[in-house]
Amino acid sequence: EPEVTQTPSHQVTQMGQEVILRCVPISNHLYFYWYRQILGQKVEFLVSFYNNEISEKSEIFDDQFSVERPDGSNFTLKIRSTKLEDSAMYFCASRGTGNTEAFFGQGTRLTVV
Amino acid sequence: GEDVEQSLFLSVREGDSSVINCTYTDSSSTYLYWYKQEPGAGLQLLTYIFSNMDMKQDQRLTVLLNKKDKHLSLRIADTQTGDSAIYFCAEGMDSSYKLIFGSGTRLLVRP
Protein backbone atom coordinates (compact mmCIF):
# COMPACT_ATOMS: atom_id res chain seq x y z
CA GLU A 1 0.00 0.00 0.00
CA PRO A 2 1.43 3.41 -0.90
CA GLU A 3 2.40 5.59 2.02
CA VAL A 4 3.83 8.97 2.90
CA THR A 5 7.30 8.67 4.40
CA GLN A 6 9.06 11.25 6.54
CA THR A 7 12.67 11.55 7.60
CA PRO A 8 14.16 11.77 10.09
CA SER A 9 11.80 10.32 12.68
CA HIS A 10 13.44 12.45 15.36
CA GLN A 11 15.63 15.52 15.04
CA VAL A 12 17.33 17.40 17.83
CA THR A 13 18.69 20.82 17.00
CA GLN A 14 20.10 23.82 18.80
CA MET A 15 18.11 27.01 18.99
CA GLY A 16 18.93 29.28 16.05
CA GLN A 17 19.94 26.45 13.75
CA GLU A 18 18.26 25.69 10.46
CA VAL A 19 16.44 22.39 10.02
CA ILE A 20 14.99 20.69 6.99
CA LEU A 21 12.28 18.11 7.43
CA ARG A 22 11.80 15.77 4.53
CA CYS A 23 8.76 14.04 3.15
CA VAL A 24 8.15 11.73 0.24
CA PRO A 25 4.46 11.98 -0.67
CA ILE A 26 2.55 9.27 -2.45
CA SER A 27 3.81 9.24 -6.02
CA ASN A 28 0.75 10.31 -8.02
CA HIS A 29 -0.47 12.87 -5.48
CA LEU A 30 -0.48 16.55 -6.33
CA TYR A 31 -1.52 18.29 -3.11
CA PHE A 32 0.88 18.45 -0.20
CA TYR A 33 0.53 19.67 3.36
CA TRP A 34 2.49 20.25 6.52
CA TYR A 35 0.89 20.13 9.95
CA ARG A 36 2.40 20.30 13.40
CA GLN A 37 1.38 19.04 16.82
CA ILE A 38 2.93 20.57 19.88
CA LEU A 39 2.98 18.01 22.69
CA GLY A 40 -0.45 17.71 24.24
CA GLN A 41 -2.05 20.17 21.84
CA LYS A 42 -4.08 20.10 18.64
CA VAL A 43 -2.78 19.16 15.24
CA GLU A 44 -2.42 22.53 13.47
CA PHE A 45 -2.38 23.29 9.77
CA LEU A 46 0.78 25.02 8.56
CA VAL A 47 0.73 25.12 4.78
CA SER A 48 -0.70 23.58 1.64
CA PHE A 49 1.19 23.30 -1.65
CA TYR A 50 -0.02 22.65 -5.16
CA ASN A 51 1.41 23.15 -8.62
CA ASN A 52 4.77 24.21 -7.20
CA GLU A 53 3.42 27.00 -5.08
CA ILE A 54 1.87 27.62 -1.70
CA SER A 55 -1.91 27.58 -1.97
CA GLU A 56 -2.66 28.46 1.64
CA LYS A 57 -0.72 29.07 4.83
CA SER A 58 -1.62 29.66 8.45
CA GLU A 59 -0.52 32.43 10.78
CA ILE A 60 2.04 30.03 12.23
CA PHE A 61 3.79 29.78 8.87
CA ASP A 62 5.81 32.98 9.12
CA ASP A 63 8.99 34.05 7.33
CA GLN A 64 11.02 31.51 9.26
CA PHE A 65 9.26 28.70 7.42
CA SER A 66 9.52 27.69 3.80
CA VAL A 67 8.52 24.71 1.71
CA GLU A 68 9.98 23.29 -1.43
CA ARG A 69 9.54 20.47 -3.86
CA PRO A 70 13.13 20.24 -5.06
CA ASP A 71 12.58 17.26 -7.33
CA GLY A 72 9.75 15.00 -8.43
CA SER A 73 9.55 13.09 -5.19
CA ASN A 74 10.52 15.12 -2.12
CA PHE A 75 8.58 17.81 -0.28
CA THR A 76 10.54 19.67 2.37
CA LEU A 77 9.81 22.01 5.25
CA LYS A 78 12.62 24.33 6.25
CA ILE A 79 12.78 26.29 9.48
CA ARG A 80 15.47 28.93 9.11
CA SER A 81 16.29 29.79 12.70
CA THR A 82 14.64 27.41 15.12
CA LYS A 83 13.11 28.56 18.38
CA LEU A 84 12.31 26.53 21.46
CA GLU A 85 8.61 26.81 20.66
CA ASP A 86 9.15 25.10 17.31
CA SER A 87 9.56 21.84 19.21
CA ALA A 88 6.69 19.68 17.98
CA MET A 89 5.76 16.68 15.87
CA TYR A 90 5.60 17.71 12.22
CA PHE A 91 3.33 15.76 9.91
CA CYS A 92 3.43 15.74 6.15
CA ALA A 93 0.32 14.76 4.17
CA SER A 94 -0.55 14.31 0.53
CA ARG A 95 -3.74 14.02 -1.46
CA GLY A 96 -4.58 12.95 -4.98
CA THR A 97 -6.66 14.90 -7.47
CA GLY A 98 -10.38 14.41 -6.90
CA ASN A 99 -9.63 12.55 -3.70
CA THR A 100 -10.98 13.75 -0.39
CA GLU A 101 -8.60 11.67 1.69
CA ALA A 102 -5.29 13.05 2.91
CA PHE A 103 -2.66 10.46 3.80
CA PHE A 104 -0.34 11.36 6.65
CA GLY A 105 3.22 10.36 7.29
CA GLN A 106 4.46 9.02 10.61
CA GLY A 107 5.78 12.43 11.60
CA THR A 108 9.12 13.94 12.53
CA ARG A 109 9.60 14.84 16.15
CA LEU A 110 11.61 18.06 16.29
CA THR A 111 13.24 18.96 19.58
CA VAL A 112 14.88 22.38 19.84
CA VAL A 113 17.29 22.74 22.77
CA GLY B 1 -13.63 31.28 12.96
CA GLU B 2 -12.89 27.63 12.56
CA ASP B 3 -12.86 25.59 15.73
CA VAL B 4 -13.35 21.92 16.55
CA GLU B 5 -13.95 20.70 20.08
CA GLN B 6 -13.81 17.23 21.61
CA SER B 7 -13.94 15.79 25.07
CA LEU B 8 -10.49 14.80 26.23
CA PHE B 9 -10.94 11.34 27.62
CA LEU B 10 -13.18 8.28 27.39
CA SER B 11 -12.84 4.98 29.21
CA VAL B 12 -14.87 1.91 28.25
CA ARG B 13 -14.83 -1.79 28.98
CA GLU B 14 -13.79 -4.23 26.29
CA GLY B 15 -16.81 -5.37 24.29
CA ASP B 16 -18.85 -2.25 25.04
CA SER B 17 -19.60 0.46 22.51
CA SER B 18 -17.63 3.71 22.53
CA VAL B 19 -19.08 7.01 21.42
CA ILE B 20 -16.72 9.90 20.80
CA ASN B 21 -18.28 13.29 20.24
CA CYS B 22 -17.14 16.37 18.37
CA THR B 23 -18.56 19.81 17.69
CA TYR B 24 -17.41 22.21 15.02
CA THR B 25 -18.19 25.81 14.20
CA ASP B 26 -17.68 26.28 10.48
CA SER B 27 -20.88 25.49 8.59
CA SER B 28 -19.02 25.58 5.28
CA SER B 29 -17.19 22.34 6.06
CA THR B 30 -17.50 19.94 3.19
CA TYR B 31 -16.15 16.77 4.78
CA LEU B 32 -15.75 15.63 8.36
CA TYR B 33 -13.13 13.10 9.28
CA TRP B 34 -12.10 10.79 12.06
CA TYR B 35 -8.41 10.00 12.47
CA LYS B 36 -6.78 7.58 14.90
CA GLN B 37 -3.36 8.11 16.43
CA GLU B 38 -1.65 5.30 18.30
CA PRO B 39 1.29 6.08 20.60
CA GLY B 40 4.31 7.27 18.63
CA ALA B 41 2.53 6.81 15.32
CA GLY B 42 1.08 9.04 12.64
CA LEU B 43 -2.51 9.88 11.85
CA GLN B 44 -4.54 7.07 10.37
CA LEU B 45 -7.75 7.97 8.58
CA LEU B 46 -10.59 5.84 9.94
CA THR B 47 -13.54 7.21 8.06
CA TYR B 48 -15.09 10.39 6.75
CA ILE B 49 -18.53 11.72 5.94
CA PHE B 50 -19.70 14.22 3.37
CA SER B 51 -21.53 17.12 4.94
CA ASN B 52 -24.82 16.36 3.19
CA MET B 53 -25.00 12.89 4.79
CA ASP B 54 -26.48 12.04 8.18
CA MET B 55 -24.87 8.71 8.77
CA LYS B 56 -22.16 6.45 7.49
CA GLN B 57 -21.43 2.90 8.62
CA ASP B 58 -18.20 1.07 8.01
CA GLN B 59 -17.88 -2.28 9.78
CA ARG B 60 -17.63 -1.51 13.52
CA LEU B 61 -17.64 2.24 12.94
CA THR B 62 -20.74 4.42 12.69
CA VAL B 63 -20.49 8.13 12.06
CA LEU B 64 -23.46 10.37 12.82
CA LEU B 65 -23.64 13.95 11.62
CA ASN B 66 -26.11 16.53 12.88
CA LYS B 67 -25.40 19.46 10.61
CA LYS B 68 -27.94 21.72 12.30
CA ASP B 69 -26.18 21.36 15.65
CA LYS B 70 -22.72 21.00 14.05
CA HIS B 71 -22.24 17.78 15.97
CA LEU B 72 -20.34 14.73 14.80
CA SER B 73 -19.97 11.43 16.60
CA LEU B 74 -18.02 8.23 16.10
CA ARG B 75 -19.41 5.03 17.51
CA ILE B 76 -17.13 2.01 17.79
CA ALA B 77 -19.05 -1.20 18.33
CA ASP B 78 -17.54 -4.07 20.32
CA THR B 79 -14.57 -1.98 21.39
CA GLN B 80 -11.30 -3.90 21.64
CA THR B 81 -8.10 -3.15 23.55
CA GLY B 82 -6.46 -2.46 20.20
CA ASP B 83 -8.84 0.47 19.78
CA SER B 84 -7.10 2.32 22.62
CA ALA B 85 -5.68 5.44 20.98
CA ILE B 86 -6.34 9.13 20.49
CA TYR B 87 -9.17 9.90 18.10
CA PHE B 88 -9.20 13.19 16.23
CA CYS B 89 -12.19 14.78 14.62
CA ALA B 90 -11.35 17.10 11.72
CA GLU B 91 -13.28 19.29 9.34
CA GLY B 92 -12.22 19.78 5.75
CA MET B 93 -12.86 22.83 3.63
CA ASP B 94 -13.87 22.37 0.03
CA SER B 95 -11.55 25.00 -1.36
CA SER B 96 -8.24 23.88 0.03
CA TYR B 97 -8.95 20.59 1.74
CA LYS B 98 -6.90 21.78 4.68
CA LEU B 99 -8.02 20.06 7.84
CA ILE B 100 -8.96 21.71 11.10
CA PHE B 101 -8.44 19.24 13.92
CA GLY B 102 -9.98 18.90 17.32
CA SER B 103 -7.79 18.38 20.36
CA GLY B 104 -8.33 14.63 20.30
CA THR B 105 -10.13 12.20 22.60
CA ARG B 106 -8.02 9.63 24.36
CA LEU B 107 -9.90 6.31 24.38
CA LEU B 108 -8.87 3.78 26.99
CA VAL B 109 -10.31 0.29 26.66
CA ARG B 110 -10.22 -1.70 29.89
CA PRO B 111 -10.04 -5.50 29.72
Side-chain angles (χ1 to χ4, degrees):
Chain A
E1 187 177 319
E3 59 180 14
V4 177
T5 56
Q6 291 185 242
T7 54
S9 56
H10 190 191
Q11 171 116 28
V12 181
T13 189
Q14 288 203 322
M15 193 168 55
Q17 295 296 303
E18 174 183 287
V19 294
I20 297 176
L21 309 183
R22 301 181 192 279
C23 170
V24 179
I26 294 172
S27 63
N28 60 347
H29 283 186
L30 298 177
Y31 298 85
F32 312 115
Y33 307 85
W34 283 101
Y35 291 82
R36 80 170 185 192
Q37 184 183 29
I38 295 172
L39 187 64
Q41 297 188 24
K42 291 186 180 189
V43 177
E44 301 171 291
F45 168 78
L46 291 179
V47 66
S48 59
F49 190 88
Y50 170 72
N51 199 25
N52 282 320
E53 60 182 24
I54 290 173
S55 44
E56 187 172 355
K57 59 183 181 179
S58 71
E59 291 174 355
I60 303 166
F61 194 89
D62 61 22
D63 292 344
Q64 292 299 310
F65 291 87
S66 62
V67 289
E68 197 176 33
R69 188 152 163 82
D71 52 41
S73 59
N74 290 284
F75 178 52
T76 61
L77 174 69
K78 183 195 291 187
I79 309 175
R80 267 180 263 284
S81 176
T82 49
K83 303 188 283 285
L84 295 176
E85 54 265 37
D86 294 327
S87 295
M89 181 76 93
Y90 288 80
F91 291 106
C92 172
S94 72
R95 183 174 66 83
T97 305
N99 193 331
T100 56
E101 180 177 347
F103 292 83
F104 282 77
Q106 294 294 92
T108 293
R109 181 169 296 285
L110 176 65
T111 303
V112 182
V113 297
Chain B
E2 306 150 339
D3 196 19
V4 180
E5 297 292 336
Q6 298 178 242
S7 53
L8 292 181
F9 186 72
L10 176 66
S11 177
V12 301
R13 192 163 291 173
E14 189 174 16
D16 287 350
S17 292
S18 308
V19 179
I20 302 171
N21 294 300
C22 169
T23 57
Y24 59 98
T25 56
D26 196 326
S27 57
S28 64
S29 304
T30 307
Y31 295 92
L32 294 131
Y33 301 82
W34 285 102
Y35 281 85
K36 177 183 180 183
Q37 185 181 37
E38 295 183 73
L43 297 164
Q44 176 197 352
L45 178 67
L46 289 177
T47 187
Y48 64 92
I49 188 168
F50 189 47
S51 60
N52 68 354
M53 296 169 64
D54 298 323
M55 187 182 92
K56 181 178 180 181
Q57 186 147 5
D58 184 0
Q59 300 182 343
R60 291 192 297 124
L61 306 178
T62 303
V63 178
L64 294 177
L65 174 61
N66 181 328
K67 198 170 181 184
K68 174 175 164 291
D69 294 339
K70 299 191 184 69
H71 183 265
L72 182 74
S73 67
L74 174 69
R75 179 177 180 270
I76 306 172
D78 187 26
T79 315
Q80 303 297 305
T81 53
D83 295 324
S84 292
I86 300 176
Y87 290 80
F88 291 94
C89 165
E91 57 176 343
M93 308 302 166
D94 193 27
S95 54
S96 66
Y97 287 98
K98 76 175 186 187
L99 299 176
I100 306 299
F101 283 86
S103 51
T105 298
R106 183 178 295 275
L107 174 65
L108 175 66
V109 183
R110 309 185 308 275

